[in-house]
Amino acid sequence: MNIGVYFSANDVVYDWAIAFLNSYRTFNPDLRLILIPFNDECDRLLKLQDTYNFEIYEDPSFARLEAIGQAFELGHTPTGPYWFRRYAAFWGKCDRFMYLDARQVVLADLKPVIQALGDYNFDLLHFDCAINQVYEPGELRRELLRQGKARGFNSGRWASQKSLFTLEEFERFANDALKVREQLNPRNTDQAFINYCCDMKPVRYGHVAEVLGGICQNSWARQSGYIYKSQNSYFVWDYGGLDHKKRVLIIHWAGFSLNAIMPQRKFFNKFFLPSKPKASIPLLQITDLAKFSLIRPFFVLKRSRIINGLYHRIKNLKI
């Protein structure tokens, strides 16, 4: 069985990609890795190919996938259509595979997740869920919920198998989905799309944590608890919480920009800083601390209900 992992990135997320690649190869030294270029801005990234032993996947279908993305775009995200390139993995180089965005770090061997597809007879395994990030409240969402569907899984990390979808199927589903576009999330176009496709086909899909057990439900960086290491594995200490002492396979920063105060910054640094000259690391750490001290007060103010509400009222004033 030919298995591997696809990831998507470009030069804009170069630093994210460095941390991702270092973490991936720490825990998956021999697992096949394939880059789906996010767009044509990949010159710096491609120079890392030999260092991290990844292949490059270019496919004529990218243009048609981007056209689907463009049809779903409501003007919120200029780069949104490029997100759809990831779905070329369904007719790519691997029989079973994972897909991962670059804005995350890997903290475990990923082969058991991929192998679980065959072991437990699933078409697709996913991580975090948030239905509001996929379906808007409405009749479509209610009907899918009545059918036991509409999990609303995140499109930045999942495992599946070749030929689950074809490009022609995606185009047919896209035409159908556009008829109910107002009932899909306005911003997360690729995420709404793949969930819609999985729910309409339908696909046998499940949450990695629920299928395998002993794994955190939430892999988002802004989760509760403290992540600690024990015997080369990572766990969450969240006494009284649902994920207490469960394994962490991935930490992702969906929705966060790369800055000094982002949650779980220490895990980004752990895998990013080794790529820098040793002499420069102390300076980078001091710079991080200084930025944190400067930015933190503004972040606290931003989260204040009163301050945030005032900001949006001023922002929305029509002058």
Side-chain angles (χ1 to χ4, degrees), residues 63-169:
R64 288 167 67 180
L65 289 168
E66 289 167 29
I68 295 174
Q70 188 59 54
F72 276 80
E73 184 56 53
L74 300 180
H76 296 293
T77 314
T79 57
Y82 297 120
W83 296 342
F84 284 70
R85 286 188 176 195
R86 67 191 66 187
Y87 301 129
F90 286 109
W91 47 88
K93 301 182 177 185
C94 299
D95 299 315
R96 292 198 178 111
F97 60 87
M98 280 190 74
Y99 169 79
L100 298 172
D101 282 346
R103 288 193 302 172
Q104 55 197 320
V105 293
V106 177
L107 299 178
D109 179 1
L110 298 178
K111 288 192 291 293
V113 177
I114 301 172
Q115 291 164 347
L117 292 161
D119 292 344
Y120 305 115
N121 200 25
F122 281 86
D123 297 319
L124 185 145
L125 294 173
H126 59 80
F127 287 80
D128 305 13
C129 295
I131 192 170
N132 289 329
Q133 299 297 317
V134 172
Y135 293 110
E136 295 289 287
E139 183 50 36
L140 173 63
R141 173 164 144 175
R142 286 190 289 269
E143 177 56 30
L144 290 172
L145 288 169
R146 282 192 288 268
Q147 296 176 24
K149 301 176 183 178
R151 293 298 298 271
F153 64 86
N154 186 284
S155 60
R157 55 215 50 85
W158 42 274
S160 192
Q161 57 193 15
K162 191 172 184 175
S163 301
L164 180 62
F165 293 104
T166 66
L167 178 57
E168 291 71 26
E169 274 185 300

Side-chain angles (χ1 to χ4, degrees), residues 31-49:
L31 183 57
R32 190 177 186 184
L33 183 62
I34 304 164
L35 168 68
I36 298 177
F38 184 76
N39 57 17
D40 294 333
E41 300 174 26
C42 293
D43 292 345
R44 289 182 70 201
L45 187 64
L46 295 181
K47 294 176 182 177
L48 301 174
Q49 184 177 6

Side-chain angles (χ1 to χ4, degrees), residues 68 71-73 173-182 184 196:
I68 295 174
F72 276 80
E73 184 56 53
F173 281 130
N175 289 332
D176 293 339
L178 287 169
K179 297 172 185 176
V180 291
R181 181 65 184 90
E182 75 283 355
L184 304 176
Y196 180 89

